[in-house]
Amino acid sequence: MSSETNISDAESHVMEVLWRAPGPVVAEQVVVALSESQHWQSATVKTLLNRLLKKGAIAATKDGRRFLYHAVLQREAWLARESERLVQRLFGGRIASLVAHFGGRGKLSPADVQKLRRLIEQYEARQ
């Protein structure tokens, strides 16, 4: 799997189910897990699973007449890459611009501001 494997929004919903699962799951379990939030048919979920297989983000093992799916791509690696891409694309790679954007729109709670202060203090202590 390439470190630059792109996961679509729809595929990310399937990945979230696999990341949360305690072990390998069958396609029907993914369908049930997404039925309330996405209302996708079984064929749609199976198509997304096949796409993720081709991308190398997941793997499947044959178990009788069914396949058991599990994530190969780690959530933390995907999250780090996606967040970096977002900051790069929308804010020119500048974290301060991202924080300023949300702060200016009133999207930072007092708890968020306190957490940011602690992060800055920890960063400065390491310098």
Side-chain angles (χ1 to χ4, degrees), residues 69-120:
Y69 299 94
H70 68 276
V72 172
L73 174 63
Q74 297 299 309
R75 188 178 193 284
E76 295 75 23
W78 173 77
L79 189 59
R81 187 178 67 240
E82 288 298 307
S83 59
E84 287 174 19
R85 288 177 61 200
L86 173 85
V87 172
Q88 189 63 42
R89 189 176 74 244
L90 298 179
F91 300 99
R94 307 215 10 103
I95 300 289
S97 297
L98 169 92
V99 174
H101 169 76
F102 285 108
R105 299 190 51 169
K107 299 291 184 182
L108 295 176
S109 70
D112 292 333
V113 173
Q114 189 62 27
K115 187 172 184 178
L116 287 168
R117 280 192 181 113
R118 281 193 303 273
L119 288 170
I120 291 168

Side-chain angles (χ1 to χ4, degrees), residues 1-2 5 7 15 49-59 70-74:
M1 175 184 56
S2 163
T5 300
I7 304 298
M15 291 300 298
L49 286 166
N50 282 325
R51 286 184 193 167
L52 289 164
L53 276 168
K54 287 178 186 171
K55 292 179 178 185
I58 67 172
H70 68 276
V72 172
L73 174 63
Q74 297 299 309

Side-chain angles (χ1 to χ4, degrees), residues 29-40 45:
Q29 290 172 292
V30 180
V31 171
V32 169
L34 294 173
S35 65
E36 197 170 304
S37 63
Q38 300 304 316
H39 307 292
W40 288 335
V45 171

